[in-house]
Amino acid sequence: MPQYVLPLVVRLERATPPGRTDALETSARAVLTLLADPRVTEVDGEWAARVAAWEDARIRKVVRRARGGEWRRAQELPGITVRGQEAEVRVFPPIPLDGWPKELAKLQVSGTDLEEAAEVGAPDPELPVLWLNPELEMSAGKTMAQTGHAAQLAWWRLDAAQRKEWAESGFALAVRTAAPQAWEELVRSGLPVVQDAGFTEIAPGSCTVIAEHPALR
């Protein structure tokens, strides 16, 4: 069986880049939006077989950046665009690792370093929170893939009613960096934790993000 990867493309215009946290949250919401789409959930859905094959192996995600004409061409491919406060992320159904469409293959992976557009406060206590490991440094693109992983692991833990409620909220969530002591407690909590395969930037097995959904507390 071919290995599949989930492509995500973030819009990164030179003059108006999104804030880092907004991009991380929008990436996670994009993954959830794809997983809840009827083209995935229906037995004969257009994307169901590819998503099933991808989920049977590593849920690998690759984030690339696009601007201008690159972004417009990416919009023409089958996928879903999700918008945050400033960020725009388009998620595509899984593709074979060596089968990238030419419109996406030419996009750059590097250069996704982002700054915060505004001060990020404490998350709403009612929201699901994706907690970042405070001891790891990752590019924004790498972290976007990790928050997508964490959201997916939380989704798998929820029952149908809980998934429906989350979807009806527009997949509201927050991404924050945990305090060191809080991170240690989260690791022991039994909540879904992302352990990276180590393809890029960090060592294999690194714990990157923990998903704290209210239904899982």
Side-chain angles (χ1 to χ4, degrees):
M1 294 291 292
Q3 183 178 348
Y4 282 80
V5 60
L6 188 79
L8 296 122
V9 175
V10 57
R11 186 177 187 181
L12 202 60
E13 303 291 347
R14 288 188 178 90
T16 56
R20 181 183 175 95
T21 294
D22 188 32
L24 301 182
E25 293 173 349
T26 305
S27 177
R29 290 175 50 238
V31 171
L32 292 166
T33 301
L34 177 96
L35 294 175
D37 192 279
R39 288 167 288 186
V40 173
T41 59
E42 298 293 337
V43 174
D44 57 350
E46 180 183 355
W47 300 340
R50 276 190 282 172
V51 170
W54 168 65
E55 289 184 330
D56 281 346
R58 295 187 180 98
I59 54 170
R60 188 171 181 182
K61 301 174 181 69
V62 173
V63 177
R64 300 192 175 198
R65 59 180 172 86
R67 61 172 60 98
E70 297 172 334
W71 177 253
R72 290 191 294 274
R73 286 187 290 273
Q75 294 291 303
E76 296 172 358
L77 298 177
I80 305 169
T81 297
V82 174
R83 293 172 175 82
Q85 294 180 359
E86 303 154 338
E88 293 182 69
V89 176
R90 189 163 180 84
V91 60
F92 303 87
I95 57 174
L97 189 57
D98 58 356
W100 285 74
K102 65 180 186 300
E103 295 88 349
L104 302 183
K106 63 180 65 175
L107 300 179
Q108 297 295 312
V109 177
S110 60
T112 53
D113 291 328
L114 297 171
E115 303 294 333
E116 294 295 357
E119 184 177 350
V120 178
D124 185 322
E126 300 300 317
L127 283 182
V129 183
L130 309 179
W131 294 104
L132 306 178
N133 185 336
E135 298 179 354
L136 291 179
E137 291 187 10
M138 298 180 287
S139 68
K142 174 74 172 180
T143 313
M144 287 171 68
Q146 301 300 302
T147 58
H149 294 333
Q152 186 168 0
L153 295 182
W155 178 257
W156 284 349
R157 291 266 195 105
L158 301 179
D159 61 30
Q162 292 162 343
R163 289 179 177 184
K164 183 175 184 292
E165 182 179 1
W166 202 5
E168 288 175 346
S169 76
F171 295 112
L173 55 82
V175 174
R176 297 291 188 272
T177 299
Q181 183 175 353
W183 177 259
E184 294 176 4
E185 295 173 358
L186 287 165
V187 169
R188 297 191 297 268
S189 69
L191 292 167
V193 56
V194 178
Q195 290 186 284
D196 191 63
F199 291 116
T200 59
E201 296 192 24
I202 57 177
S206 298
C207 295
T208 59
V209 188
I210 292 174
E212 186 181 19
H213 190 286
L216 304 178
R217 290 171 183 158

